[in-house]
Amino acid sequence: TAAKIYKCCAISASGELPEEMRVVIPQAANDLLEIEGVGASFVAVQMGDMISISARSMGEINVQVIMEALGGGGHLTMAGAQLKGTSLEEAWKQLISAIDQYWENSRKEGNKA
């Protein structure tokens, strides 16, 4: 299991969980929002040959946009994605890239106003 705070986002990743434990993935994402300074959280878990990512935010960071960049979707404050045929390490890199792109786009849009 790895965890990191990155650009106001808490990110946690874990290898396989027993089937009955998978319900804790979105709860873990919710719990990470309680950390001071965290505006969004992402929990990525290996599930067979895919990585399941659950994303949550307090509303200032649009996790839907970040998850859409990974082929997922959802809503402003709750979203998710499933990355098939990828490793946890590669999913982590893709998530960091999607967060970077989100902040870059937000900065550009902010400069236009």
Side-chain angles (χ1 to χ4, degrees), residues 7 60 99-113:
K7 296 186 176 182
E60 291 183 30
I99 293 168
D100 285 343
Q101 189 61 51
Y102 173 81
W103 285 114
E104 180 64 20
N105 290 342
S106 295
R107 185 184 63 78
K108 287 178 183 174
E109 289 172 11
N111 287 342
K112 291 178 184 176

Side-chain angles (χ1 to χ4, degrees), residues 26-58:
Q27 183 58 51
N30 287 337
D31 290 348
L32 288 171
L33 290 177
E34 295 179 18
I35 299 171
E36 185 176 339
V38 170
S41 64
F42 303 87
V43 176
V45 176
Q46 181 83 41
M47 299 175 74
D49 70 341
M50 75 173 175
I51 306 298
S52 179
I53 303 174
S54 184
R56 300 291 185 268
S57 85
M58 299 301 287

Side-chain angles (χ1 to χ4, degrees), residues 61-104:
I61 297 171
N62 188 337
V63 292
Q64 175 185 356
V65 171
I66 296 169
M67 291 294 94
E68 284 177 350
L70 299 175
H75 303 282
L76 170 73
T77 60
M78 294 190 311
Q82 294 181 339
L83 307 177
K84 295 184 180 176
T86 190
S87 69
L88 196 56
E89 181 179 339
E90 181 57 32
W92 184 284
K93 290 177 187 176
Q94 289 179 33
L95 178 57
I96 294 293
S97 178
I99 293 168
D100 285 343
Q101 189 61 51
Y102 173 81
W103 285 114
E104 180 64 20

